């Protein structure tokens, strides 16, 4: 289930630390189990390697 | 070079009875840091029996040095018993077998700074904790290590705030 943001609501913004780190991304990763974090990394690596292959790298 | 398959590499090491600690980028990810890495860094116990088990696993996953791949050089027991780094390529992707890390920290030195994590059904591995990963990266002067430090520090802050 999801709810569409109403026209009058402010768009939720990511929260950054003073040194520019996206804290919402960290909180999302911390909400996952180690097994899920490993799956996220593996998917990222697979996607980047596939993009490299498609671009002849 | 084969693509990284972290789970297969870790499963093969565990099934082979190898005692090791996961360090580096993958350890940071397993601790919740949103970063990317392509290789698996481990610090194994360098006792004779464990090195024997590690050699058997490296044979199964065709572990050879990444440098001069045409020579297909593989480490021997005496090499794996030394404190140096072995940058290997395997059928599960790049694997760095590190005799020691930082200022000569061995498997036994690191063990008190690890937690056991389940990364797949029943598969438990020892992972270096985030505070120690940060301390080690602070000692290093590489640009890559410096670049990732703010993310690691904020991840540790958030973990501590969450009481993890």
């Amino acid at each position: 289930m999801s709810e569409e943001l109403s026209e009058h609501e402010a768009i939720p913004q990511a929260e950054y630390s003073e040194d520019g780190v996206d804290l919402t991304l960290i909180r999302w990763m911390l909400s996952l189990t180690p097994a899920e974090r490993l799956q996220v990394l593996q998917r990222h690596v697979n996607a980047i390697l596939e993009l490299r292959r498609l671009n002849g790298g | 070079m084969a693509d990284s398959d972290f789970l297969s590499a870790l499963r093969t090491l565990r099934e082979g009875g190898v005692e090791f600690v996961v360090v580096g980028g993958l350890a940071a990810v397993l601790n919740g840091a949103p970063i990317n890495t392509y290789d698996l860094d481990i610090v194994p116990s360098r006792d004779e029996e464990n090195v024997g088990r590690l050699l058997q696993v490296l044979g199964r996953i065709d572990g050879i040095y990444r440098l001069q791949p045409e020579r297909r050089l593989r480490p021997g027991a005496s090499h794996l018993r030394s404190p140096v780094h072995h940058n290997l390529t395997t059928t599960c992707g790049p694997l760095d077998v590190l005799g020691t890390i930082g200022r000569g920290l061995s498997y036994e030195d690191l063990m008190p700074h690890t937690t056991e994590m389940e990364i797949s059904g029943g598969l438990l591995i020892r992972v270096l904790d985030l505070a120690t990963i940060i301390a080690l990266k602070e000692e290093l002067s590489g640009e890559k290590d410096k670049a990732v430090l703010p993310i690691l520090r904020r991840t540790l802050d958030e973990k501590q705030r969450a009481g993890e």
Side-chain angles (χ1 to χ4, degrees):
Chain A
M1 284 289 286
S2 61
E3 179 190 355
E4 188 175 322
L5 191 69
S6 80
E7 274 185 37
H8 307 292
E9 274 184 282
I11 297 170
Q13 299 292 300
E15 188 183 338
Y16 291 91
S17 67
E18 285 176 3
D19 45 6
V21 177
D22 184 345
L23 298 176
T24 57
L25 196 56
I26 288 176
R27 288 171 193 151
W28 171 70
M29 273 292 272
L30 290 176
S31 74
L32 306 176
T33 65
E36 290 167 336
R37 293 169 193 165
L38 182 61
Q39 288 169 8
V40 167
L41 175 66
Q42 189 68 64
R43 282 199 298 267
H44 281 202
V45 168
N46 292 350
I48 290 166
L49 293 174
E50 182 60 19
L51 281 171
R52 280 188 189 169
R53 264 193 287 271
L54 290 171
N55 286 282
Chain B
M1 191 185 296
D3 289 354
S4 304
D5 183 346
F6 299 111
L7 187 56
S8 293
L10 292 165
R11 181 176 282 126
T12 307
L13 285 160
R14 288 297 295 136
E15 286 176 355
V18 179
E19 292 168 12
F20 63 95
V21 173
V22 176
V23 300
L26 182 59
V29 170
L30 291 171
N31 275 289
I35 62 169
N36 268 333
T37 188
Y38 295 89
D39 57 358
L40 169 59
D41 297 333
I42 63 165
V43 176
S45 163
R46 288 183 287 132
D47 80 37
E48 199 172 334
E49 288 181 5
N50 198 56
V51 164
R53 291 191 289 267
L54 178 57
L55 274 173
Q56 286 191 344
V57 167
L58 291 178
R60 283 205 285 280
I61 60 175
D62 199 20
I64 57 169
Y65 286 95
R66 291 205 288 275
L67 205 63
Q68 298 181 293
E70 68 283 0
R71 294 183 63 195
R72 296 190 47 79
L73 293 168
R74 55 186 168 79
S78 65
H79 305 113
L80 294 175
R81 284 183 61 78
S82 73
V84 303
H85 293 183
H86 307 275
N87 306 116
L88 308 176
T89 178
T90 74
T91 53
C92 303
L95 170 67
D96 290 348
V97 178
L98 313 172
T100 59
I101 56 172
R103 292 181 180 153
L105 297 174
S106 66
Y107 170 84
E108 288 76 14
D109 298 322
L110 296 172
M111 274 300 279
H113 306 284
T114 64
T115 52
E116 202 167 43
M117 295 185 184
E118 184 174 355
I119 55 159
S120 184
L123 180 61
L124 296 168
I125 56 166
R126 283 259 154 214
V127 180
L128 194 62
D129 65 38
L130 198 49
T132 309
I133 295 169
I134 292 170
L136 287 164
K137 288 206 180 283
E138 284 172 340
E139 285 177 16
L140 300 170
S141 57
E143 291 301 318
K144 186 181 157 204
D145 295 296
K146 282 183 192 165
V148 81
L149 267 171
I151 300 173
L152 301 184
R153 291 190 186 118
R154 297 292 83 80
T155 303
L156 183 60
D157 289 346
E158 290 292 323
K159 273 173 87 100
Q160 288 170 340
R161 197 164 295 146
E164 209 183 298

